[in-house]
Amino acid sequence: MPDHITIRPATGTWVVRAGGAVLGESIQALEMTEGDYPPVIYFPRADIAMAFLEPSDTTSTCPHKGSATYYGIAAKSGLIADAVWSYEDPKPAVAAIKGYLAFYKTKVTVEEV
């Protein structure tokens, strides 16, 4: 793993909410710290209501993690575009996040409960 990236089990129970609805709750979440950025909570897909997620055409590439795919969230108020990302086939050094989902805290609420 690159020196500036740390992945560890997130302590406690984590929840993600969007558009007034709970999308998921997990005791199996992972916390990734990357350099000076705030930690990001990654949720296992099994703990997220995937029916509310719509695949997006957006992609991005990180030299340390690989290619990310994005999802929008179908909320009552409308689509929250590109609010979720996932590394379907991450680089071996960060394989622990394979298939997990992360959420933009500017678009949804991610918190420990």
Side-chain angles (χ1 to χ4, degrees):
M1 188 169 331
D3 290 344
H4 72 290
I5 296 178
T6 304
I7 301 171
R8 64 180 185 83
T11 57
T13 302
W14 288 83
V15 66
V16 58
R17 295 182 184 89
V22 173
L23 292 180
E25 184 176 299
S26 183
I27 59 169
Q28 306 288 324
L30 297 174
E31 179 184 83
M32 176 187 282
T33 305
E34 186 172 0
D36 294 331
Y37 291 104
V40 174
I41 301 299
Y42 281 79
F43 289 82
R45 286 176 186 248
D47 293 342
I48 298 296
M50 294 299 291
F52 290 99
L53 303 189
E54 296 184 7
S56 165
D57 291 334
T58 302
T59 61
S60 66
T61 302
C62 169
H64 306 292
K65 297 185 294 277
S67 296
T69 55
Y70 289 77
Y71 298 86
I73 299 170
K76 282 189 261 185
S77 56
L79 184 69
I80 305 170
D82 295 338
V84 186
W85 75 91
S86 178
Y87 291 92
E88 307 297 325
D89 190 21
K91 296 201 174 198
V94 294
I97 62 169
K98 180 181 177 78
Y100 275 61
L101 300 166
F103 296 80
Y104 281 105
K105 291 181 179 180
T106 56
K107 298 184 178 193
V108 303
T109 301
V110 175
E111 62 188 358
E112 188 176 1
V113 293

